[in-house]
Amino acid sequence: MSAVPVVLRALYEGERTMERKLLETAARDAAEHEVHHVAVDLARWSHEHAERLARAAEPYELRLPRSGEEPPGTEERGERAARALDDARPGLDLLNDLRELHLAAAGNSLDWEMLAQAAQAEKDTSLLDLATACHPQTLRQMRWTNTMIKTLSPQLLSRAGAPSPDA
């Protein structure tokens, strides 16, 4: 029996989570224009990936909700570590968001890789084509979050460590 449906479901849930987190970050961090606009664009990629995964799951007799349907509950990756960073200093919400996004994208990237390997083993060209088309966009999401963390960390971390003007 093939484990492809398990990977399809995990990847689908990961892409739905990524889409939701990107949109939440865009809304929460609207003052950071680059973060806002790029996060909205990247959320579209994750939305498209999830839609394509839902279609690809059908031959495996796996029903994954499409747009407009309620996505299944998902477990947050790295949530505990992000909370610890958040509790350490106030004002680090944007870095927390970017960290969570990076970890979610990394998880999705690994799932895309596993799906591609399974597709090759099963000689499923349509699934391999899907992974080949979508995985590079997930890698781009990772590069963007990494770049934003590198760019914003010095400013946000030094500001977060500074005493407040009221103190």
Side-chain angles (χ1 to χ4, degrees):
M1 170 137 176
S2 171
V4 168
V6 174
V7 177
L8 283 167
R9 180 176 298 285
L11 188 49
Y12 170 84
E13 290 175 0
E15 290 289 357
R16 285 288 194 211
T17 298
M18 188 71 178
E19 175 188 13
R20 180 181 46 77
K21 285 182 178 188
L22 283 161
L23 292 174
E24 288 171 358
T25 298
R28 197 172 22 251
D29 301 304
E32 287 286 340
H33 296 291
E34 180 181 354
V35 170
H36 174 78
H37 293 293
V38 175
V40 168
D41 289 342
L42 296 179
R44 283 188 202 112
W45 287 354
S46 286
H47 179 82
E48 179 186 320
H49 295 175
E51 291 294 308
R52 293 179 71 179
L53 285 161
R55 286 191 300 275
E58 291 170 359
Y60 291 91
E61 298 179 6
L62 178 63
R63 187 186 175 286
L64 301 173
R66 302 266 178 103
S67 287
E69 298 178 24
E70 201 59 34
T74 57
E75 188 173 316
E76 302 294 327
R77 295 181 190 200
E79 184 178 309
R80 207 170 349 143
R83 263 197 318 270
L85 181 59
D86 191 36
D87 293 342
R89 298 263 188 226
L92 297 181
D93 293 340
L94 178 54
L95 288 178
N96 275 336
D97 289 346
L98 291 168
R99 181 183 185 283
E100 285 184 25
L101 288 168
H102 188 80
L103 293 173
N108 289 347
S109 177
L110 293 172
D111 290 342
W112 280 117
E113 193 60 53
M114 288 188 288
L115 187 64
Q117 295 302 315
Q120 283 181 327
E122 294 192 6
K123 299 181 183 352
D124 186 335
T125 56
S126 64
L127 214 50
L128 183 57
D129 290 345
L130 175 63
T132 301
C134 295
H135 190 206
Q137 291 177 325
T138 299
L139 293 172
R140 174 66 184 102
Q141 290 172 328
M142 286 177 60
R143 283 191 301 274
W144 177 74
T145 57
N146 191 48
T147 298
M148 293 308 299
I149 288 169
K150 286 178 181 179
T151 302
L152 297 173
S153 287
Q155 174 189 1
L156 295 176
L157 290 173
S158 62
R159 184 176 17 161
S164 67
D166 300 335

PDB file of all heavy atoms in Angstrom, residues 32 34-35 94-95 98 140 143-159:
ATOM      1  N   GLU A  32       4.793  47.419   7.738  1.00  0.00           N
ATOM      2  CA  GLU A  32       5.998  46.991   7.010  1.00  0.00           C
ATOM      3  C   GLU A  32       5.539  46.636   5.593  1.00  0.00           C
ATOM      4  O   GLU A  32       5.117  45.512   5.333  1.00  0.00           O
ATOM      5  CB  GLU A  32       6.656  45.777   7.677  1.00  0.00           C
ATOM      6  CG  GLU A  32       7.374  46.075   8.958  1.00  0.00           C
ATOM      7  CD  GLU A  32       8.695  46.799   8.741  1.00  0.00           C
ATOM      8  OE1 GLU A  32       9.247  46.756   7.617  1.00  0.00           O
ATOM      9  OE2 GLU A  32       9.165  47.416   9.700  1.00  0.00           O
ATOM     10  N   GLU A  34       6.846  46.021   2.627  1.00  0.00           N
ATOM     11  CA  GLU A  34       7.385  44.869   1.894  1.00  0.00           C
ATOM     12  C   GLU A  34       6.847  43.568   2.479  1.00  0.00           C
ATOM     13  O   GLU A  34       6.440  42.670   1.744  1.00  0.00           O
ATOM     14  CB  GLU A  34       8.915  44.840   1.919  1.00  0.00           C
ATOM     15  CG  GLU A  34       9.451  43.644   1.151  1.00  0.00           C
ATOM     16  CD  GLU A  34      10.965  43.535   1.140  1.00  0.00           C
ATOM     17  OE1 GLU A  34      11.653  44.443   1.636  1.00  0.00           O
ATOM     18  OE2 GLU A  34      11.444  42.511   0.629  1.00  0.00           O
ATOM     19  N   VAL A  35       6.830  43.465   3.789  1.00  0.00           N
ATOM     20  CA  VAL A  35       6.309  42.260   4.434  1.00  0.00           C
ATOM     21  C   VAL A  35       4.855  42.063   4.031  1.00  0.00           C
ATOM     22  O   VAL A  35       4.460  40.968   3.625  1.00  0.00           O
ATOM     23  CB  VAL A  35       6.453  42.343   5.969  1.00  0.00           C
ATOM     24  CG1 VAL A  35       5.704  41.209   6.655  1.00  0.00           C
ATOM     25  CG2 VAL A  35       7.926  42.333   6.370  1.00  0.00           C
ATOM     26  N   LEU A  94       6.848  40.633  14.779  1.00  0.00           N
ATOM     27  CA  LEU A  94       7.196  40.454  13.374  1.00  0.00           C
ATOM     28  C   LEU A  94       8.255  39.368  13.211  1.00  0.00           C
ATOM     29  O   LEU A  94       8.140  38.506  12.330  1.00  0.00           O
ATOM     30  CB  LEU A  94       7.670  41.764  12.749  1.00  0.00           C
ATOM     31  CG  LEU A  94       8.120  41.696  11.289  1.00  0.00           C
ATOM     32  CD1 LEU A  94       7.044  41.083  10.400  1.00  0.00           C
ATOM     33  CD2 LEU A  94       8.506  43.074  10.798  1.00  0.00           C
ATOM     34  N   LEU A  95       9.283  39.386  14.054  1.00  0.00           N
ATOM     35  CA  LEU A  95      10.308  38.333  13.965  1.00  0.00           C
ATOM     36  C   LEU A  95       9.713  36.967  14.291  1.00  0.00           C
ATOM     37  O   LEU A  95      10.075  35.972  13.656  1.00  0.00           O
ATOM     38  CB  LEU A  95      11.493  38.638  14.882  1.00  0.00           C
ATOM     39  CG  LEU A  95      12.407  39.774  14.423  1.00  0.00           C
ATOM     40  CD1 LEU A  95      13.519  40.003  15.439  1.00  0.00           C
ATOM     41  CD2 LEU A  95      12.976  39.503  13.046  1.00  0.00           C
ATOM     42  N   LEU A  98       7.872  35.856  11.160  1.00  0.00           N
ATOM     43  CA  LEU A  98       8.814  35.420  10.117  1.00  0.00           C
ATOM     44  C   LEU A  98       9.448  34.080  10.475  1.00  0.00           C
ATOM     45  O   LEU A  98       9.647  33.233   9.600  1.00  0.00           O
ATOM     46  CB  LEU A  98       9.879  36.492   9.889  1.00  0.00           C
ATOM     47  CG  LEU A  98       9.367  37.781   9.248  1.00  0.00           C
ATOM     48  CD1 LEU A  98      10.423  38.877   9.340  1.00  0.00           C
ATOM     49  CD2 LEU A  98       8.934  37.548   7.808  1.00  0.00           C
ATOM     50  N   ARG A 140      11.395  29.471  -2.477  1.00  0.00           N
ATOM     51  CA  ARG A 140      11.408  30.936  -2.557  1.00  0.00           C
ATOM     52  C   ARG A 140      10.793  31.547  -1.298  1.00  0.00           C
ATOM     53  O   ARG A 140      11.262  32.567  -0.799  1.00  0.00           O
ATOM     54  CB  ARG A 140      10.658  31.398  -3.815  1.00  0.00           C
ATOM     55  CG  ARG A 140      10.482  32.887  -3.942  1.00  0.00           C
ATOM     56  CD  ARG A 140      11.808  33.619  -4.128  1.00  0.00           C
ATOM     57  NE  ARG A 140      11.595  35.052  -4.150  1.00  0.00           N
ATOM     58  CZ  ARG A 140      11.844  35.876  -3.129  1.00  0.00           C
ATOM     59  NH1 ARG A 140      12.344  35.415  -2.011  1.00  0.00           N
ATOM     60  NH2 ARG A 140      11.591  37.155  -3.231  1.00  0.00           N
ATOM     61  N   ARG A 143      13.513  31.432   1.270  1.00  0.00           N
ATOM     62  CA  ARG A 143      14.542  32.459   1.042  1.00  0.00           C
ATOM     63  C   ARG A 143      14.048  33.838   1.460  1.00  0.00           C
ATOM     64  O   ARG A 143      14.790  34.617   2.055  1.00  0.00           O
ATOM     65  CB  ARG A 143      14.991  32.458  -0.420  1.00  0.00           C
ATOM     66  CG  ARG A 143      15.940  31.305  -0.754  1.00  0.00           C
ATOM     67  CD  ARG A 143      16.594  31.464  -2.116  1.00  0.00           C
ATOM     68  NE  ARG A 143      15.650  31.539  -3.223  1.00  0.00           N
ATOM     69  CZ  ARG A 143      15.137  30.493  -3.850  1.00  0.00           C
ATOM     70  NH1 ARG A 143      15.489  29.272  -3.499  1.00  0.00           N
ATOM     71  NH2 ARG A 143      14.303  30.655  -4.854  1.00  0.00           N
ATOM     72  N   TRP A 144      12.787  34.139   1.161  1.00  0.00           N
ATOM     73  CA  TRP A 144      12.245  35.434   1.535  1.00  0.00           C
ATOM     74  C   TRP A 144      12.211  35.601   3.058  1.00  0.00           C
ATOM     75  O   TRP A 144      12.640  36.632   3.580  1.00  0.00           O
ATOM     76  CB  TRP A 144      10.846  35.635   0.947  1.00  0.00           C
ATOM     77  CG  TRP A 144      10.230  36.928   1.385  1.00  0.00           C
ATOM     78  CD1 TRP A 144      10.558  38.180   0.953  1.00  0.00           C
ATOM     79  CD2 TRP A 144       9.216  37.103   2.364  1.00  0.00           C
ATOM     80  NE1 TRP A 144       9.790  39.123   1.604  1.00  0.00           N
ATOM     81  CE2 TRP A 144       8.958  38.479   2.475  1.00  0.00           C
ATOM     82  CE3 TRP A 144       8.480  36.215   3.163  1.00  0.00           C
ATOM     83  CZ2 TRP A 144       8.000  39.000   3.345  1.00  0.00           C
ATOM     84  CZ3 TRP A 144       7.531  36.737   4.020  1.00  0.00           C
ATOM     85  CH2 TRP A 144       7.304  38.116   4.114  1.00  0.00           C
ATOM     86  N   THR A 145      11.693  34.594   3.776  1.00  0.00           N
ATOM     87  CA  THR A 145      11.637  34.723   5.236  1.00  0.00           C
ATOM     88  C   THR A 145      13.033  34.849   5.816  1.00  0.00           C
ATOM     89  O   THR A 145      13.264  35.654   6.723  1.00  0.00           O
ATOM     90  CB  THR A 145      10.898  33.547   5.896  1.00  0.00           C
ATOM     91  OG1 THR A 145      11.522  32.312   5.523  1.00  0.00           O
ATOM     92  CG2 THR A 145       9.426  33.524   5.511  1.00  0.00           C
ATOM     93  N   ASN A 146      13.977  34.095   5.298  1.00  0.00           N
ATOM     94  CA  ASN A 146      15.348  34.168   5.788  1.00  0.00           C
ATOM     95  C   ASN A 146      15.947  35.563   5.547  1.00  0.00           C
ATOM     96  O   ASN A 146      16.576  36.148   6.434  1.00  0.00           O
ATOM     97  CB  ASN A 146      16.208  33.090   5.122  1.00  0.00           C
ATOM     98  CG  ASN A 146      17.545  32.941   5.778  1.00  0.00           C
ATOM     99  OD1 ASN A 146      17.655  32.849   6.998  1.00  0.00           O
ATOM    100  ND2 ASN A 146      18.594  32.906   4.972  1.00  0.00           N
ATOM    101  N   THR A 147      15.730  36.097   4.360  1.00  0.00           N
ATOM    102  CA  THR A 147      16.231  37.432   4.036  1.00  0.00           C
ATOM    103  C   THR A 147      15.600  38.485   4.938  1.00  0.00           C
ATOM    104  O   THR A 147      16.286  39.383   5.440  1.00  0.00           O
ATOM    105  CB  THR A 147      15.954  37.761   2.557  1.00  0.00           C
ATOM    106  OG1 THR A 147      16.663  36.824   1.745  1.00  0.00           O
ATOM    107  CG2 THR A 147      16.384  39.177   2.207  1.00  0.00           C
ATOM    108  N   MET A 148      14.301  38.388   5.165  1.00  0.00           N
ATOM    109  CA  MET A 148      13.626  39.366   6.016  1.00  0.00           C
ATOM    110  C   MET A 148      14.129  39.272   7.457  1.00  0.00           C
ATOM    111  O   MET A 148      14.312  40.297   8.127  1.00  0.00           O
ATOM    112  CB  MET A 148      12.106  39.185   5.959  1.00  0.00           C
ATOM    113  CG  MET A 148      11.494  39.510   4.603  1.00  0.00           C
ATOM    114  SD  MET A 148      11.959  41.138   3.933  1.00  0.00           S
ATOM    115  CE  MET A 148      11.325  42.223   5.176  1.00  0.00           C
ATOM    116  N   ILE A 149      14.366  38.069   7.942  1.00  0.00           N
ATOM    117  CA  ILE A 149      14.895  37.909   9.299  1.00  0.00           C
ATOM    118  C   ILE A 149      16.281  38.545   9.392  1.00  0.00           C
ATOM    119  O   ILE A 149      16.577  39.280  10.334  1.00  0.00           O
ATOM    120  CB  ILE A 149      14.913  36.424   9.707  1.00  0.00           C
ATOM    121  CG1 ILE A 149      13.481  35.935   9.948  1.00  0.00           C
ATOM    122  CG2 ILE A 149      15.773  36.202  10.954  1.00  0.00           C
ATOM    123  CD1 ILE A 149      13.339  34.435  10.089  1.00  0.00           C
ATOM    124  N   LYS A 150      17.123  38.302   8.404  1.00  0.00           N
ATOM    125  CA  LYS A 150      18.463  38.898   8.401  1.00  0.00           C
ATOM    126  C   LYS A 150      18.396  40.426   8.317  1.00  0.00           C
ATOM    127  O   LYS A 150      19.180  41.122   8.956  1.00  0.00           O
ATOM    128  CB  LYS A 150      19.283  38.374   7.225  1.00  0.00           C
ATOM    129  CG  LYS A 150      19.755  36.963   7.390  1.00  0.00           C
ATOM    130  CD  LYS A 150      20.519  36.527   6.151  1.00  0.00           C
ATOM    131  CE  LYS A 150      20.994  35.097   6.250  1.00  0.00           C
ATOM    132  NZ  LYS A 150      21.718  34.692   5.038  1.00  0.00           N
ATOM    133  N   THR A 151      17.470  40.934   7.539  1.00  0.00           N
ATOM    134  CA  THR A 151      17.354  42.374   7.341  1.00  0.00           C
ATOM    135  C   THR A 151      16.773  43.077   8.569  1.00  0.00           C
ATOM    136  O   THR A 151      17.261  44.133   8.969  1.00  0.00           O
ATOM    137  CB  THR A 151      16.454  42.657   6.111  1.00  0.00           C
ATOM    138  OG1 THR A 151      17.029  42.026   4.971  1.00  0.00           O
ATOM    139  CG2 THR A 151      16.309  44.147   5.864  1.00  0.00           C
ATOM    140  N   LEU A 152      15.746  42.499   9.163  1.00  0.00           N
ATOM    141  CA  LEU A 152      15.031  43.172  10.244  1.00  0.00           C
ATOM    142  C   LEU A 152      15.574  42.876  11.639  1.00  0.00           C
ATOM    143  O   LEU A 152      15.362  43.673  12.553  1.00  0.00           O
ATOM    144  CB  LEU A 152      13.545  42.799  10.186  1.00  0.00           C
ATOM    145  CG  LEU A 152      12.801  43.242   8.935  1.00  0.00           C
ATOM    146  CD1 LEU A 152      11.389  42.663   8.913  1.00  0.00           C
ATOM    147  CD2 LEU A 152      12.754  44.764   8.838  1.00  0.00           C
ATOM    148  N   SER A 153      16.252  41.750  11.812  1.00  0.00           N
ATOM    149  CA  SER A 153      16.713  41.362  13.155  1.00  0.00           C
ATOM    150  C   SER A 153      17.586  42.411  13.834  1.00  0.00           C
ATOM    151  O   SER A 153      17.339  42.731  15.006  1.00  0.00           O
ATOM    152  CB  SER A 153      17.463  40.030  13.113  1.00  0.00           C
ATOM    153  OG  SER A 153      16.576  38.981  12.919  1.00  0.00           O
ATOM    154  N   PRO A 154      18.599  42.952  13.175  1.00  0.00           N
ATOM    155  CA  PRO A 154      19.447  43.925  13.887  1.00  0.00           C
ATOM    156  C   PRO A 154      18.644  45.093  14.458  1.00  0.00           C
ATOM    157  O   PRO A 154      18.798  45.452  15.621  1.00  0.00           O
ATOM    158  CB  PRO A 154      20.437  44.399  12.816  1.00  0.00           C
ATOM    159  CG  PRO A 154      20.477  43.291  11.820  1.00  0.00           C
ATOM    160  CD  PRO A 154      19.084  42.709  11.811  1.00  0.00           C
ATOM    161  N   GLN A 155      17.783  45.655  13.645  1.00  0.00           N
ATOM    162  CA  GLN A 155      16.999  46.803  14.087  1.00  0.00           C
ATOM    163  C   GLN A 155      15.995  46.412  15.172  1.00  0.00           C
ATOM    164  O   GLN A 155      15.915  47.052  16.218  1.00  0.00           O
ATOM    165  CB  GLN A 155      16.266  47.410  12.896  1.00  0.00           C
ATOM    166  CG  GLN A 155      15.315  48.522  13.269  1.00  0.00           C
ATOM    167  CD  GLN A 155      14.445  48.958  12.095  1.00  0.00           C
ATOM    168  OE1 GLN A 155      14.536  48.411  11.011  1.00  0.00           O
ATOM    169  NE2 GLN A 155      13.596  49.937  12.321  1.00  0.00           N
ATOM    170  N   LEU A 156      15.240  45.352  14.937  1.00  0.00           N
ATOM    171  CA  LEU A 156      14.181  44.987  15.874  1.00  0.00           C
ATOM    172  C   LEU A 156      14.728  44.429  17.183  1.00  0.00           C
ATOM    173  O   LEU A 156      14.178  44.706  18.249  1.00  0.00           O
ATOM    174  CB  LEU A 156      13.223  43.989  15.229  1.00  0.00           C
ATOM    175  CG  LEU A 156      12.426  44.523  14.040  1.00  0.00           C
ATOM    176  CD1 LEU A 156      11.591  43.430  13.405  1.00  0.00           C
ATOM    177  CD2 LEU A 156      11.559  45.702  14.448  1.00  0.00           C
ATOM    178  N   LEU A 157      15.807  43.676  17.103  1.00  0.00           N
ATOM    179  CA  LEU A 157      16.366  43.103  18.334  1.00  0.00           C
ATOM    180  C   LEU A 157      17.056  44.170  19.179  1.00  0.00           C
ATOM    181  O   LEU A 157      16.960  44.148  20.411  1.00  0.00           O
ATOM    182  CB  LEU A 157      17.319  41.962  18.017  1.00  0.00           C
ATOM    183  CG  LEU A 157      16.652  40.701  17.475  1.00  0.00           C
ATOM    184  CD1 LEU A 157      17.704  39.704  17.023  1.00  0.00           C
ATOM    185  CD2 LEU A 157      15.719  40.087  18.501  1.00  0.00           C
ATOM    186  N   SER A 158      17.744  45.094  18.553  1.00  0.00           N
ATOM    187  CA  SER A 158      18.406  46.137  19.339  1.00  0.00           C
ATOM    188  C   SER A 158      17.371  47.088  19.934  1.00  0.00           C
ATOM    189  O   SER A 158      17.521  47.565  21.053  1.00  0.00           O
ATOM    190  CB  SER A 158      19.434  46.895  18.508  1.00  0.00           C
ATOM    191  OG  SER A 158      18.815  47.552  17.431  1.00  0.00           O
ATOM    192  N   ARG A 159      16.288  47.353  19.211  1.00  0.00           N
ATOM    193  CA  ARG A 159      15.221  48.212  19.725  1.00  0.00           C
ATOM    194  C   ARG A 159      14.481  47.509  20.862  1.00  0.00           C
ATOM    195  O   ARG A 159      14.121  48.131  21.844  1.00  0.00           O
ATOM    196  CB  ARG A 159      14.247  48.559  18.609  1.00  0.00           C
ATOM    197  CG  ARG A 159      13.172  49.519  19.049  1.00  0.00           C
ATOM    198  CD  ARG A 159      12.254  49.955  17.949  1.00  0.00           C
ATOM    199  NE  ARG A 159      12.309  49.116  16.776  1.00  0.00           N
ATOM    200  CZ  ARG A 159      11.376  49.059  15.845  1.00  0.00           C
ATOM    201  NH1 ARG A 159      10.320  49.802  15.959  1.00  0.00           N
ATOM    202  NH2 ARG A 159      11.481  48.296  14.803  1.00  0.00           N
TER     203      ARG A 159
END
